[in-house]
Amino acid sequence: MQPKAVIAFITSLQVFWTTCHSFDAQGDGSLAHPSITLEKRVTSPPLSRNGKLNFTQTANVTRVTVNNPPINLLTPELVSDLLHFLLWTQPGPGKTTPKVVIFSSAIPDFFISHFDLKQLASPDGQIALTELVDCGRLLQNVTSTAFIAEVNGRTFGGGQELSSQMDMRFAGPNAIISQYENSAGFVAQAGGQISLGPTIGKARALEHLLAAKQINARQGTEWGLFNNDYRDTVTLRREVDALAARIGLFSQKALNDTKSSLAFLSPTPQQLNQQLVDFAPIAALPESQGVVGDLIAASDQTANQFEKNIPNSVVKTLYRPQLAAMADGGKSVLNAAGSTK
């Protein structure tokens, strides 16, 4: 080796050695890649104003557990807590937001249920409907955080709209979903309806919406509503946690840039607003108020068989004479809702 080459080689070793020590990230001799910078500790999430959300934070991942017994009904209080939290996920000065947020449920049979029908026409309910649209907008547009739904229970109506607007969805053995509004004469208004087309395609979205079908975990995965489904709750939790931890290792800028590059698939703010505009006059109709009254009387929005069997419980309540007039008593129509097994 020539003298100049020897000098260059020694110099390069010195640079390498200096670089290694300058990236002794833990102070214990372990090395961090020069292109990776140590990130600040994630800012703690705000307290749940109405006590409907519980938070667990690990490194760059925040788990949000929805806890609004008996069925995680989308009451004004729960919607307010969700919006308050999602507003916090927006980046800001002096704040380090989580790279991943996982939504799960404290209620065994329900993930997030439908909107509180008793509040549909009340002033608080009207505010909550607008806030629900805002929640969907934030789920779609906050690009610095990946939102994951860990669904292991029933999620109907507004709850399904929220989960369908999250970045990823994983199902456990008890997952059942339905966008049941058409069966009650309404339309989905919180962004879930226009999010389904890009997710599962127009034809399947229309089948799901127009027929108010119920879909279990396996079929949901086949359709693309779920990224994957798992046979037991332990595996579901383990796999979702592992995925979130892996995403949490990587650069938040890369996460932001990747989500931003796919933002064109999300509904525009104008489209989201139009959903609420379309919903309001339908909800105000006298016949719609009658339907709401019938459903409340049949279910009382508690953890009973009516709530567990939506949408067919809605169909049986509102279309009993039409079903009875059919040759098979309406069995084929009810079976067309899909299987929960």
Side-chain angles (χ1 to χ4, degrees):
M1 186 178 288
Q2 297 297 319
K4 288 184 179 181
V6 173
I7 294 172
F9 179 69
I10 294 173
T11 302
S12 66
L13 285 177
Q14 291 173 333
V15 170
F16 174 76
W17 185 253
T18 302
T19 302
C20 287
H21 280 277
S22 68
F23 289 98
D24 180 1
Q26 306 300 325
D28 60 0
S30 60
L31 305 181
H33 193 279
S35 65
I36 299 176
T37 57
L38 295 178
E39 295 172 334
K40 297 178 182 178
R41 183 180 180 86
V42 175
T43 307
S44 296
L47 292 176
S48 176
R49 292 174 173 178
N50 300 300
K52 306 301 181 182
L53 303 177
N54 301 321
F55 303 107
T56 305
Q57 198 157 290
T58 306
N60 293 305
V61 179
T62 298
R63 178 177 285 276
V64 182
T65 305
V66 182
N67 188 17
N68 190 26
I71 61 173
N72 279 347
L73 196 67
L74 278 171
T75 58
E77 295 79 13
L78 174 55
V79 174
S80 177
D81 279 0
L82 286 167
L83 179 60
H84 189 219
F85 170 74
L86 289 170
L87 285 169
W88 169 81
T89 64
Q90 297 180 107
K95 179 173 68 173
T96 303
T97 55
K99 295 176 184 176
V100 185
V101 168
I102 303 168
F103 286 92
S104 57
S105 170
I107 312 297
D109 289 326
F110 293 87
F111 176 61
I112 303 176
S113 195
H114 55 79
F115 191 80
D116 185 354
L117 296 178
K118 293 180 180 180
Q119 296 290 341
L120 199 58
S122 72
D124 286 345
Q126 294 300 303
I127 293 171
L129 285 172
T130 302
E131 291 182 340
L132 193 59
V133 174
D134 290 335
C135 287
R137 183 180 292 110
L138 288 164
L139 288 170
Q140 298 268 6
N141 294 332
V142 172
T143 56
S144 53
T145 298
F147 297 105
I148 298 176
E150 185 184 286
V151 182
N152 192 32
R154 292 158 176 81
T155 179
F156 302 140
Q160 162 62 4
E161 291 194 78
L162 289 178
S163 67
S164 69
Q165 293 178 88
M166 296 184 195
D167 298 307
M168 290 166 266
R169 293 160 296 281
F170 296 88
N174 300 319
I176 303 172
I177 61 178
S178 176
Q179 209 68 69
Y180 78 99
E181 287 86 347
N182 263 50
S183 66
F186 298 113
V187 293
Q189 57 84 30
Q193 181 166 282
I194 50 178
S195 299
L196 278 176
T199 302
I200 63 176
K202 180 181 177 181
R204 278 182 164 164
L206 287 173
E207 179 184 353
H208 182 55
L209 293 165
L210 294 179
K213 297 192 72 169
Q214 60 188 6
I215 296 177
N216 62 18
R218 181 71 268 168
Q219 185 179 4
T221 301
E222 292 170 355
W223 277 30
L225 283 165
F226 295 123
N227 293 61
N228 206 347
D229 62 281
Y230 300 97
R231 293 182 178 180
D232 61 83
T233 57
V234 173
T235 305
L236 170 67
R237 176 62 58 92
R238 184 182 68 237
E239 293 299 318
V240 170
D241 281 345
L243 176 68
R246 180 179 174 86
I247 294 172
L249 287 175
F250 307 146
S251 159
Q252 198 155 33
K253 182 182 185 306
L255 189 160
N256 183 81
D257 291 349
T258 301
K259 281 195 64 173
S260 296
S261 71
L262 295 174
F264 72 95
L265 294 170
S266 301
T268 66
Q270 293 75 18
Q271 288 174 315
L272 290 170
N273 291 338
Q274 190 61 45
Q275 293 278 283
L276 188 55
V277 170
D278 293 341
F279 177 82
I282 297 175
L285 292 172
E287 52 265 41
S288 297
Q289 295 302 310
V291 165
V292 169
D294 290 342
L295 295 179
I296 291 173
S299 75
D300 202 31
Q301 304 185 131
T302 58
N304 53 29
Q305 289 305 307
F306 184 97
E307 291 292 337
K308 291 179 180 180
N309 292 324
I310 288 175
N312 269 354
S313 54
V314 175
V315 175
K316 290 178 180 178
T317 299
L318 301 180
Y319 304 95
R320 191 175 303 276
Q322 293 92 324
L323 295 173
M326 294 178 182
D328 62 352
K331 289 182 180 179
S332 58
V333 169
L334 294 173
N335 289 338
S339 173
T340 62
K341 298 180 180 180

